[in-house]
Amino acid sequence: MGKSTPSGQAGAETLPRRRRRAGRNEARAGVLFALPWMIGLAIFTAIPLVLTFYIAQARFQITGAPKWVGLQNYSAIWADPAVWTSAQNTLMFAMISVPIKLVLALCLALLLNRVTMLSGFYRTVFYLPFLMPAVAGSIVFILLLNPVAGPVNMMLQAMGLSPPDWLLDPKAALWTLILLSLWPLGVETLVFLGGLQNIPKDISEAADLDSPRGWHKLVWITIPLITPMILFNLVTGIIYSFQVFTQALVIGGTTGKPAEATLMYMVVLYRAAFRYFNMGHAAAMATVLFVVVLLLTLLIFRTARSWVYYEGESR
Amino acid sequence: MSEKTYAVPGSISRRRFLHGSAAAGAIMALPGATLAQAEGQLLLWLPGGSDLFCKIHTGLLEGFSSSANLGPATTVCGLGQDTEFTQALIGSITAGSPPDISMLWDSPVSLGAQGAFMPLDEMMKNSKIGIDTWPAGLLSSCQFKGNTYGLPVTAGVYTMWYNEELLESKGIPSDRASFPKTWVEMRKLSKEFTVWDGDTLVSAGFMPNRIPETMAIWSALNGGMLFDEANLKYMLDSEQNIEMMNFFLEWLDEEYKGDVNLIDRAGNFKEAYPDASSGLGPAFREGRQAGLISGSWLMGDIYADPVPTFTRWNMAPIPVGPSGTTAVSGTWPNWFVIPVGSKNPQAAFDYLSYLAIEGSVEWYQQIPDVPTNSQVSLKAPNSLIENRGAEFADDLTAFLATQAAIVTPMWNSPSQSFGNDQMARAMEKIYTKAASVKDALSDAQSAAQAELDRVMAG
């Protein structure tokens, strides 16, 4: 009977099978397309991550085999004054640069949101600094802030001001590094801009009618509606600022010149690994940083429930 | 929608995928294949250095390889200095494709102790460069737990360099014998030349030392030491070292307005080379500084750009500190090592034997790094004879030999880089007034000793 079944019936019977087979093929294609990324993730992220946790509990100096030492590396970093100095500098850097960066990026996004002419041009211009390699950017700033021949100090002197030794004075160097971190604001600005442009027009117009004061609308309508973007920029900003490395290394070298003012946690980690070849120490530092950043991120996500508003979400 | 829409395996077939993987694997394996080094062909790595430096070593290795029928040799120059070079070297050792020979500008003890370099003792026993042919103080910079991990084939010898013309312009005798013998005398003489225009340093005499690598010499001149090799103990915060840094700090306050940044704004008064970060020229070569400590290698570079504005420079022994009794000198050696995994260890060692005796003489003729093996007799470099005459050149060569004989032990810690960094950090804190002398040296001492203990624990 099966062989003499009308075609319509046969089609009805095979449709689920065809769908299942198509689904399997789709899944296989998906896996294949994702495979290069998955292999890359495994080789360059997952395996090194696991190895880092292992090496953190070993004495390993690259040329020999790792030797298990338990928690010795953690007690060594606890006793290392450079770790504490760099942690303090990094914390200070994060605490000051992240909020300033968020506020500046938001201001810039608010401005760009109002620009109607050449908006694409302005967005590109503000994004461009992000595309410049950090090393090149740092060198440019070293030249700009040179106390003798740098144009910044020359301009300040011409205005009758007494310019600081931006990168030579230990009291000024960390602030200069913070200042430099504010330069590439493109990503944060674009994220905020995306949020601002997604605010429904009816809400915005209703707010305009309700209150003529612009800051009322900003505080009670705009900012609450872009809190998911603030959360995103805050989390990525904190992660970035705890891992600040390139600018600090180019400007302060491995000793954090001047007088350890620019010594950042990642620089100490780098020099432990690649100057002193003390991989265990470096891996322990990396593990501690991983845990601290993870905890901070989790804490932010935890508090985010009370201040981040997602459209369509019921409270 | 037809089934073909889903037929992805048709577009990326397993066979194609395998072909692609094989091609990718071949591309990844290619660098290893091209880097693989044939037996009998020597490969030498050099850290930074001038084009002339590279040319000298390329010529020396090619000449040796040719005379020993070793086949074409390769010299890789300018692989970076300090950390970058060491990273590359360690990377090549762990990857199993190291050079046969490498020059180092940092003590080989630390990495040798970690198993990165071959111990040379067995090969030295039956060679013309046996242990007894090297100055013990210098060779100790390569030795750890009874093993010799490298050879200090040549060394720049540190002395005071001074501008005879500037001294004479003030009616001060410019001969070597009249040069200040103590720090106090040098500080007194320095004031004669130090001129300020507001906050701009126009010219200077001598400077409190700011080169971390030479601190071992200044410490020894004050009767102290930075590292006690016999007891494996750092001595950074010893009384002599605290006194030394206090002396330098008082000098800075008295003569240089207590502000190193003001000095740095006016030029490079630290060294006789242009400052890499600011681009400012060397005040000594510009005729704006009476004198400074520098290595003998400056003889080779002084006529390069920027040329000195004066012709009559000279060298003198480094003065003695308030608590010091004897004059000492110091060196910055050019170490050579044979990395573990070298394809031609015996040929590499034979090259080191040649370089230590015959090669170093040729090297000295062009760049005056002083040969250190006792079998080498020094001749004045031709460039020096051409520029200053045979008498001056012979006198200076003899002087360098006397200075090389009184070098203080340095570069001998198993955690040398770390110790140097700690000293550099302490000096910066002291000179920028970020910490007191005692606190800065005490911090440096704790950190350096902790690292040394860690390295010694193995």
Side-chain angles (χ1 to χ4, degrees), chain B residues 382-406:
Chain B
N382 291 331
S383 59
L384 191 57
I385 296 170
E386 281 164 22
N387 282 290
R388 300 296 301 274
E391 193 185 342
F392 179 83
D394 287 342
D395 171 60
L396 206 66
T397 301
F399 169 69
L400 281 177
T402 62
Q403 292 297 296
I406 56 165

Side-chain angles (χ1 to χ4, degrees), chain A residues 18 21-22 25-26 28-29 32-33 35 59 61-64 67 81 142 146-148 153 163-165 168-170 255 257-260 270-271 274-278, chain B residues 1 3 6-9 12 17 82-83 86-87 90 93-94 111 114-116 261 264-266 277-278 280 417-418 421-422 425 428-429 432 434 447 451 454 457-458:
Chain A
R18 286 177 62 190
R21 195 161 60 200
N25 285 339
E26 192 175 8
R28 202 178 302 158
L32 265 178
F33 276 112
L35 200 58
R59 178 164 292 139
Q61 302 195 294
I62 302 184
T63 47
K67 192 173 141 191
I142 287 173
N146 184 299
V148 184
N153 276 17
D165 276 331
L168 296 176
D169 183 354
T255 53
K257 283 180 235 172
E260 294 188 331
Y270 165 79
R271 81 179 185 191
F274 298 110
R275 183 162 168 75
Y276 309 135
F277 299 103
N278 188 353
Chain B
M1 200 180 280
E3 270 194 30
Y6 299 98
V8 176
I12 305 175
F17 182 75
D82 301 332
T83 310
T86 317
Q87 278 173 30
I90 293 293
I93 292 168
T94 48
L111 290 173
Q114 292 166 31
N261 291 340
D264 292 342
R265 281 180 175 201
S277 57
S278 67
L280 292 170
S417 300
F418 193 91
D421 284 355
Q422 293 309 313
R425 167 178 169 254
E428 256 191 60
K429 284 189 170 180
T432 55
E451 175 69 3
R454 185 193 68 78

Side-chain angles (χ1 to χ4, degrees), chain B residues 100-113:
Chain B
D100 293 303
I101 313 151
S102 178
M103 181 191 271
L104 293 182
W105 282 347
D106 199 356
S107 161
V109 164
S110 176
L111 290 173

Side-chain angles (χ1 to χ4, degrees), chain B residues 246-306:
Chain B
N246 275 325
F247 183 93
F248 290 154
L249 196 60
E250 282 167 20
W251 187 2
L252 181 80
D253 289 343
E254 183 191 77
E255 198 174 326
Y256 297 105
K257 304 193 175 194
D259 192 341
V260 283
N261 291 340
L262 285 183
I263 300 172
D264 292 342
R265 281 180 175 201
N268 188 4
F269 287 85
K270 267 190 292 190
E271 294 170 300
Y273 292 89
D275 183 75
S277 57
S278 67
L280 292 170
F284 178 66
R285 290 206 232 178
E286 290 169 354
R288 297 196 294 131
Q289 188 175 9
L292 79 178
I293 189 172
S294 190
S296 55
W297 57 80
L298 181 57
M299 275 198 282
D301 295 322
I302 198 158
Y303 297 112
D305 193 28

